Amino acid sequence: MRTFLAPVQNLHLAKFWLLVLAGGLIALHLHSSWEAKLTNLVVTSILFFGAIIFKLKQKRSTLNLESNWFSKIIGVTLVAFVFFSQAFLPNNDFLIRLLPFISGLGLALIASGIKGLNQYWQELMLLLVLGVPLELLIEPVNQIFHITKLLAKISTFILWYIGFQVTRQGDLIILPEKATWVGPNCSGVLTMLWMLQLAILFLTTYPTNWRKKILFPVVAVLIVMGVNGIRIAIMALLAAYNYPAFEYWHSDNAQIFSTIPLLIFWWFCQSLRENR
């Protein structure tokens, strides 16, 4: 009886320490992201970690938790690197984003070895998506899709439709009192990329048919474009007629404008889930 129970007890003990280690790594990542003032990354990480925990909990009874010493050594080395980098290396935004994937890979190797990595491919893919440096993609995406010109057109049309004398020249929205330039960082490209991350998260967590796989990313982008078209129109008016208010809403106080698309997209996702 003791011989039979020993492996079971060892397995439960190993699971416990893996959970403790995973919790420590998550807390370390969130702390580092907060210290680096990567607010969006903190929020996104919480959502991604929650989804990954949910997925692992769903399939915990089918996971093969057998690993050899070679895999465990690699896994421990990766986890040790994460702790070492946070303790001794200077804060680097790219490294902070990449550490969750390195942590997840290390934990997967410790738990199931190289042969068992295929069990965690979705979770590791989500950690890779989380690690994408969105800020570095703003300019390339804008150059390819001309987001600023498109948003300037939408905002100009909104202002014209409600009765303002307004014209557009390239990325400029021109009112009689003042012209406002729509820059890549103000056009909502970052919010679009963020929403695409969340669309991938939702589609991975709740499998759907191929139509919805196409629909969700498209809707995510359209929601951001609609909200930002209205935001930029308001900002152009404030720049022309109330510059102190423009400066206030052009600072970090404008976080609400990135929260509104998230809430609308969440409502859309929940509506489709309930009606499937």
Side-chain angles (χ1 to χ4, degrees):
M1 187 68 175
R2 289 181 181 175
T3 306
F4 174 76
L5 288 177
V8 176
Q9 291 173 343
N10 290 337
L11 181 60
H12 284 306
L13 188 62
K15 285 182 179 179
F16 171 76
W17 285 113
L18 276 172
L19 289 174
V20 170
L21 187 56
L25 289 166
I26 289 172
L28 182 63
H29 169 70
L30 294 177
H31 174 74
S32 300
S33 302
W34 185 262
E35 287 291 310
K37 298 182 179 179
L38 300 172
T39 310
N40 277 354
L41 181 59
V42 173
V43 176
T44 311
S45 296
I46 292 171
L47 294 174
F48 271 65
F49 293 150
I52 289 170
I53 292 169
F54 172 73
K55 290 182 68 63
L56 289 175
K57 188 176 180 181
Q58 279 187 320
K59 61 183 182 183
R60 66 185 184 278
S61 59
T62 62
L63 292 174
N64 178 19
L65 299 177
E66 293 182 4
S67 179
N68 56 43
W69 282 107
F70 178 71
S71 298
K72 287 180 179 178
I73 290 171
I74 297 175
V76 169
T77 302
L78 291 174
V79 171
F81 169 77
V82 173
F83 283 108
F84 174 84
S85 65
Q86 293 301 287
F88 299 106
L89 296 181
N91 274 344
N92 178 283
D93 290 0
F94 179 74
L95 182 60
I96 290 174
R97 291 180 181 277
L98 191 60
L99 288 180
F101 174 76
I102 297 173
S103 301
L105 182 59
L107 290 172
L109 287 170
I110 294 171
S112 300
I114 295 174
K115 291 182 179 179
L117 285 180
N118 62 316
Q119 301 175 106
Y120 309 102
W121 74 268
Q122 287 185 322
E123 291 78 11
L124 291 173
M125 182 199 70
L126 286 177
L127 292 175
L128 267 180
V129 171
L130 177 64
V132 174
L134 300 183
E135 289 81 3
L136 298 181
L137 298 178
I138 293 175
E139 189 58 38
V141 169
N142 185 54
Q143 289 292 329
I144 295 171
F145 297 103
H146 305 289
I147 303 295
T148 52
K149 288 184 180 179
L150 182 58
L151 265 295
K153 286 180 181 179
I154 293 172
S155 300
T156 301
F157 172 78
I158 292 171
L159 291 172
W160 169 82
Y161 186 78
I162 60 179
F164 286 93
Q165 184 182 345
V166 60
T167 57
R168 182 189 65 85
Q169 186 175 0
D171 299 340
L172 289 173
I173 299 174
I174 305 171
L175 288 161
E177 289 78 6
K178 192 177 184 68
T180 303
W181 176 61
V182 182
N185 291 322
C186 302
S187 62
V189 176
L190 181 60
T191 307
M192 289 180 193
L193 295 172
W194 184 43
M195 292 288 283
L196 286 175
Q197 272 189 327
L198 298 181
I200 292 171
L201 174 64
F202 185 85
L203 291 172
T204 305
T205 308
Y206 301 103
T208 57
N209 57 49
W210 66 269
R211 289 187 181 89
K212 289 181 180 178
K213 290 184 189 300
I214 297 172
L215 179 64
F216 274 85
V218 171
V219 169
V221 171
L222 290 178
I223 289 171
V224 177
M225 291 184 67
V227 171
N228 273 281
I230 296 171
R231 178 183 68 85
I232 292 171
I234 294 172
M235 297 301 289
L237 288 176
L238 292 177
Y241 301 110
N242 190 344
Y243 199 75
F246 169 82
E247 288 187 319
Y248 178 83
W249 288 109
H250 196 252
S251 65
D252 292 337
N253 297 305
Q255 290 292 333
I256 187 171
F257 289 110
S258 60
T259 305
I260 291 173
L262 175 62
L263 295 175
I264 296 172
F265 185 63
W266 176 83
W267 170 82
F268 173 77
C269 292
Q270 291 300 316
S271 299
L272 281 192
R273 274 192 66 206
E274 292 171 1
N275 297 325
R276 63 180 179 176

